[in-house]
């Protein structure tokens, strides 16, 4: 159960007065991205056209703020470089 006194609860209530759920969902889309480490065996759902790869191969997906895939790279550095070139602000996942 959520605590109505917590800041995140209060922030959501405040935002809901000014923004719709759709507007909140689109917040950061096109401007903010994140990188997710992913195994090749888990790629088909995110990248349907990916060729067959060794299942245990580790790759890095650059994803839009809403989770939409932007690109797939073989190194974190390459994904970061692409985000930099596209003027995307990087968000950290915890």
């Amino acid at each position: 159960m959520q605590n109505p006194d917590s800041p995140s609860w209060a922030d959501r209530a405040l935002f809901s007065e000014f923004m719709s759920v759709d507007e909140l969902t689109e917040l950061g889309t096109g401007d903010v991205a994140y990188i997710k480490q992913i195994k090749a065996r888990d790629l088909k759902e995110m990248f349907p056209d990916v060729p067959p790869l060794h299942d245990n191969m580790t790759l890095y997906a650059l994803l839009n703020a809403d989770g939409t895939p932007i690109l797939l790279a073989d190194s974190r550095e390459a994904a970061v470089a692409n985000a930099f070139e596209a003027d995307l602000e990087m968000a950290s996942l915890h």
Side-chain angles (χ1 to χ4, degrees), residues 33 70 82 93:
I70 297 172
N82 190 279
L93 294 181

Side-chain angles (χ1 to χ4, degrees), residues 7-83:
S8 62
W9 180 263
D11 291 344
R12 281 189 218 130
L14 179 65
F15 279 124
S16 68
E17 292 179 24
F18 302 104
M19 300 177 104
S20 70
V21 172
D22 290 338
E23 289 171 323
L24 281 171
T25 301
E26 292 178 13
L27 194 62
T29 301
D31 298 320
V32 178
Y34 63 97
I35 295 173
K36 181 178 181 180
Q37 185 175 327
I38 189 167
K39 292 290 185 185
R41 67 178 165 264
D42 302 323
L43 288 176
K44 281 296 183 190
E45 185 176 322
M46 206 179 287
F47 298 92
D49 295 331
V50 72
L53 300 167
H54 187 271
D55 282 349
N56 289 327
M57 184 178 198
T58 300
L59 299 165
Y60 298 85
L62 178 64
L63 305 168
N64 205 338
D66 66 358
T68 304
I70 297 172
L71 81 95
L72 189 61
D74 62 352
S75 72
R76 187 176 196 297
E77 292 78 16
V80 169
N82 190 279

